[in-house]
Amino acid sequence: MGDALIEVRDLTYVYHPDTPQAVRALDGLSCSIRAGEFVGVVGGNGSGKSTFARHLNALLLPTAGEVRVGGLDTRDRAVTWEVRRRVGMVFQNPDNQLVAAVVEEDVAFGPENLGLPPAEIRRRVDEALEAVGLAELRRRAPHQLSGGQKQRVAIAGVLAMRPACIVLDEATTMLDPQGRAEVLATVEALNRRDGITVVLISHAMDDLVAADRVLALDAGRLVADGPPAEVFERVDATPGGRLDAPPVVRLARELRQAGLRLPPGLLTVEALADAIADALGGGAAHA
Amino acid sequence: MPEPLLACHDVAYTYRRGTPMAAEALRGVTLGVAAGELLGLIGPTGSGKSTLIQHFNGLLRPSRGRVVVAGQDLWAPRADRRAARRLVGLLFQFAESQLFEETVRRDVGYGPRALGLEADEVEARVDEALRQVGLDPARFGGRSPFALSGGEMRRVALAGVLAMRPQVLVLDEPTAGLDPRARAELLDHIRALHARGLTVVLVTHNMDEVALLARRVVVLHAGQVAADGAPRAVFAREDDLRAWGLGLPQAAALVRRLRSRGVRVGDALTFAEARRAILAAAREAPRGDR
Ligand SMILES: Nc1ncnc2c1ncn2[C@@H]1O[C@H](COP(=O)(O)OP(=O)(O)OP(=O)(O)O)[C@@H](O)[C@H]1O
Ligand SMILES: Nc1ncnc2c1ncn2[C@@H]1O[C@H](COP(=O)(O)OP(=O)(O)OP(=O)(O)O)[C@@H](O)[C@H]1O
Ligand SMILES: [Mg+2]
Ligand SMILES: [Mg+2]
């Protein structure tokens, strides 16, 4: 595929191989992500999402199979740095990510490593802090921040790198509802406006309704890959699977079963409300 | 009115007091939590939730005001703060950062061992706590807590709190990072513990969880109590909630939008209530052809 930014082929990853503690976290996973795509990743706890994410910027290297970023094979140590420049990652827990003593230094850390001129670094840091609403706390120490503030610093750090692809691993779990909406809007704008590829891992499927595609993982395998509406409709169909359809999708389903005529593909509260209003107003309710 | 189990009287707290970096996190919070309550504590990022709950078991000392737990002023001379710590089990936000033992079993058993319990009792509690959070002790007990997925780590941390069998459970974002099913299981579990008499304070950014579980909601904003009441009353204040950076439970937002579209539908805070309200509205719809 010509414009694939990321190509994952038969990826298998085993933690602590050849020991009694061996864990096969990924098991023959293949997918490709095009430049400019917004891809959501869902899956139960332990299904392999973070392990997958860490392969996208060469933090982990395949036990078998391969991962290519912009054509570069991540196993080639000579390109590790280049891969990390292209793919920026926000971790699940900011405590694992925040390194500097002061917020703005933390955000500057990445751009400094890119060897950018100081004026450019300053500009990017300002912009990134502004984007996540942390400009006022720039002189604070990261460990003196609230949980949600720390997550914002971690996100700003990656924004300042301006990578071709941003991977967010449950990076908004500690944000308040509006903060989460703001960060998601920022990420979506980066995707739509600047063409930055986004890989967003989340347990909140409502975060992913704007995604072009959703990948669902289960026990290290890809069990679904398609547009959100399609994946969410059948994500709980797998027997023994750990995934549930989002509440809005489930409610729509229950209302249909009760006789309301609702179109398929209702993913948001707004869409569902409008469809119900149409169904009731049009006298479509029946038993 | 019975004496509340936990009480804060005009509690203020300033981080790095007396330095140029001073940050006033709480500005006079007065709040009582009665035995057997299930309270949802919400508020925007940085509003002081985590700071407040660390006062409940004496981890932080108020800069001003009093904290009273089970009738004892925690900062009175000769106060027994260790007793408060046994009474109040606190799950930290990002609790997974605090795992430290070599195995999951040892980590969960750390608190019970520190209580001086017999080895058998410790092991029994560890098994029970791990099962309560949905981790099979045989499969996970021997593993390193650092070699787990994020959601698994969080469950181990929660098991560590449950193994202490506290009377009050204070949980700071316990469901963040849990998959939908684990989240539902944990909420069921909190409900069951509450039914058995535990007092629960649940800090969360998820309004749906609050709607589902809490009997009372307290909103913190800029270090002060901005609202305190029944979920129905607090979630009726939509404009205020938005001004505080919060929002409505999804079911309430759905009902609101239906009404704006002219559908006459009853109140709902949860999806189950929304379903009932919508089906009732459908039966009454003017041109419904049932
Ligand atoms: N460092 C490690 N050593 C050994 N096993 C690990 C390690 N990290 C993760 N695992 C295991 O690998 C599997 C996949 O973990 P991963 O972190 O990728 O899951 P996840 O989908 O991100 O889960 P979560 O939703 O809980 O974050 C799990 O079974 C987990 O226990
Ligand atoms: N160790 C610290 N030193 C200095 N200031 C701090 C420290 N911890 C928190 N603060 C500040 O105190 C205020 C309240 O923080 P707190 O962690 O209680 O908020 P919170 O409501 O729990 O937020 P979140 O929803 O993001 O977890 C914030 O403005 C925060 O920046
Ligand atoms: Mg993970
Ligand atoms: Mg907090």
Side-chain angles (χ1 to χ4, degrees):
Chain A
M1 206 153 137
D3 55 349
L5 177 67
I6 294 171
E7 287 266 26
V8 177
R9 214 169 306 147
D10 283 330
L11 172 59
T12 292
Y13 187 78
V14 181
Y15 287 100
H16 316 297
D18 305 322
T19 73
Q21 291 91 42
V23 177
R24 182 174 291 256
L26 294 175
D27 193 5
L29 189 150
S30 298
C31 67
S32 85
I33 296 173
R34 288 191 307 278
E37 252 191 313
F38 177 177
V39 176
V41 181
V42 301
N45 291 137
S47 60
K49 303 180 300 297
S50 298
T51 306
F52 172 69
R54 291 196 179 102
H55 277 84
L56 302 184
N57 73 345
L59 282 173
L60 292 178
L61 301 177
T63 305
E66 65 173 26
V67 175
R68 287 179 179 272
V69 174
L72 304 173
D73 186 335
T74 59
R75 285 170 305 185
D76 178 358
R77 306 267 177 190
V79 303
T80 303
W81 193 83
E82 181 56 26
V83 167
R84 296 213 178 129
R85 201 173 69 78
R86 293 187 191 185
V87 180
M89 164 112 168
V90 187
F91 290 92
Q92 200 163 349
N93 182 343
D95 292 341
N96 297 337
Q97 180 145 11
L98 305 180
V99 288
V102 178
V103 166
E104 61 183 0
E105 286 168 13
D106 202 283
V107 177
F109 185 77
E112 272 163 9
N113 278 343
L114 295 179
L116 296 170
E120 172 68 9
I121 294 174
R122 176 141 297 274
R123 217 164 54 78
R124 287 195 182 191
V125 170
D126 289 349
E127 259 181 44
L129 285 172
E130 201 63 53
V132 299
L134 271 190
E136 282 175 23
L137 297 178
R138 58 188 306 148
R139 302 291 315 155
R140 281 273 190 90
H143 68 86
Q144 294 168 5
L145 297 175
S146 79
Q149 289 163 346
K150 281 186 200 173
Q151 278 193 330
R152 285 166 182 257
V153 178
I155 293 166
V158 169
L159 295 182
M161 299 273 289
R162 306 239 178 106
C165 175
I166 297 185
V167 182
L168 298 132
D169 189 357
E170 296 187 48
T172 62
T173 49
M174 300 288 180
L175 299 186
D176 59 53
Q178 275 174 37
R180 191 167 121 201
E182 279 162 28
V183 167
L184 287 175
T186 304
V187 168
E188 273 176 49
L190 287 173
N191 175 253
R192 306 269 178 248
R193 193 191 57 213
D194 304 339
I196 291 180
T197 309
V198 172
V199 177
L200 184 72
I201 300 173
S202 177
H203 289 300
M205 299 201 191
D206 346 322
D207 288 356
L208 305 178
V209 291
D212 298 313
R213 241 166 90 203
V214 173
L215 312 179
L217 298 192
D218 190 23
R221 296 184 196 182
L222 193 62
V223 294
D225 176 354
E230 208 173 275
V231 172
F232 293 155
E233 286 290 351
R234 57 194 176 85
V235 74
D236 49 356
T238 334
R242 284 203 59 86
L243 288 169
D244 282 331
V248 169
V249 171
R250 263 183 303 171
L251 177 58
R253 207 183 275 170
E254 289 163 3
L255 293 174
R256 276 186 208 109
Q257 277 160 8
L260 252 65
R261 285 210 199 102
L262 302 175
L266 300 171
L267 298 183
T268 63
V269 162
E270 292 74 22
L272 177 58
D274 292 348
I276 294 169
D278 290 344
L280 297 186
H286 65 97
Chain B
M1 183 154 170
E3 166 83 353
L5 186 57
L6 303 178
C8 292
H9 298 282
D10 192 30
V11 165
Y13 186 82
T14 303
Y15 286 100
R16 331 203 93 214
R17 192 150 50 127
T19 74
M21 303 295 281
E24 207 183 354
L26 297 176
R27 306 166 192 249
V29 171
T30 297
L31 181 71
V33 183
E37 271 200 279
L38 203 173
L39 181 130
L41 180 61
I42 61 179
T45 292
S47 57
K49 303 179 297 297
S50 299
T51 306
L52 177 63
I53 62 172
Q54 291 177 64
H55 283 80
F56 290 162
N57 67 353
L59 281 177
L60 292 180
R61 177 177 194 158
S63 318
R64 183 186 83 218
R66 284 184 313 128
V67 179
V68 181
V69 175
Q72 180 183 219
D73 182 338
L74 289 191
W75 298 96
R78 288 187 298 283
D80 182 4
R81 281 185 294 281
R82 289 186 52 208
R85 255 162 236 176
R86 279 197 298 274
L87 191 78
V88 181
L90 179 64
L91 180 76
F92 285 93
Q93 197 172 11
F94 296 117
E96 55 275 25
S97 303
Q98 311 214 336
L99 301 172
F100 67 101
E101 286 276 8
E102 250 159 66
T103 66
V104 166
R105 279 205 84 81
R106 284 196 60 79
D107 208 288
V108 175
Y110 176 81
R113 273 196 308 278
L115 291 180
L117 297 174
E118 300 287 332
D120 289 0
E121 170 71 9
V122 172
E123 295 311 307
R125 284 194 181 198
V126 170
D127 281 333
E128 188 192 74
L130 283 173
R131 286 206 190 88
Q132 285 179 332
V133 298
L135 295 178
D136 175 7
R139 193 172 146 220
F140 284 94
R143 286 177 60 178
S144 157
F146 306 107
L148 297 174
S149 82
E152 290 161 351
M153 283 183 175
R154 177 163 293 267
R155 294 195 222 185
V156 171
L158 177 61
V161 175
L162 294 176
M164 299 288 285
R165 303 221 179 126
Q167 288 177 40
V168 183
L169 260 186
V170 181
L171 307 171
D172 200 346
E173 300 281 359
T175 60
L178 296 193
D179 64 48
R181 211 154 288 178
R183 174 186 294 258
E185 283 162 10
L186 177 62
L187 295 181
D188 280 347
H189 189 65
I190 292 173
R191 204 183 277 122
L193 289 169
H194 174 248
R196 270 190 257 149
L198 251 78
T199 307
V200 180
V201 177
L202 174 69
V203 177
T204 179
H205 282 308
N206 187 319
M207 302 298 129
D208 294 337
E209 283 176 15
V210 178
L212 212 52
L213 275 193
R215 311 296 173 84
R216 175 179 164 204
V217 182
V218 170
V219 180
L220 271 194
H221 181 255
Q224 289 180 316
V225 175
D228 181 349
R232 220 158 282 285
V234 173
F235 287 126
R237 299 171 61 179
E238 191 188 349
D239 293 342
D240 290 335
L241 288 166
R242 300 230 184 274
W244 297 325
L246 304 172
L248 293 178
Q250 287 191 75
L254 180 70
V255 162
R256 207 184 164 287
R257 183 152 178 125
L258 282 170
R259 287 181 183 155
S260 78
R261 291 281 318 257
V263 179
R264 292 180 54 184
V265 60
D267 284 331
L269 288 183
T270 66
F271 277 93
E273 290 168 2
R275 190 184 59 221
R276 279 195 295 276
I278 292 164
L279 291 177
R283 280 192 292 275
E284 315 223 312
R287 287 186 288 141
D289 56 355
R290 313 178 139 249

